[in-house]
Amino acid sequence: MRDDARQGAAGGHRHPPAAPVDLETKVSDFHDRARGAAVPAIQVLVLGAVRT
């Protein structure tokens, strides 16, 4: 998957003199996903709605 993303970022749809894209990937685990899901849940609990 990383190779596909890297090829897409450097693919032929970029302006020729554009600077290269630095692509950094991170392996996420359950705790990262759970933390990300908790934020909107807490917003709904505290604020009554998710602010966008």
Side-chain angles (χ1 to χ4, degrees):
M1 182 70 165
R2 287 186 292 183
D3 290 337
D4 292 339
R6 186 169 285 118
Q7 287 175 353
H13 298 292
R14 292 180 43 83
H15 194 269
V21 175
D22 290 330
L23 182 63
E24 181 179 328
T25 59
K26 177 185 174 199
V27 177
S28 63
D29 61 1
F30 172 77
H31 298 301
D32 292 330
R33 293 188 301 270
R35 187 177 298 118
V39 171
I42 293 170
Q43 286 178 339
V44 169
L45 181 65
V46 172
L47 303 175
V50 176
R51 292 184 182 181
T52 55

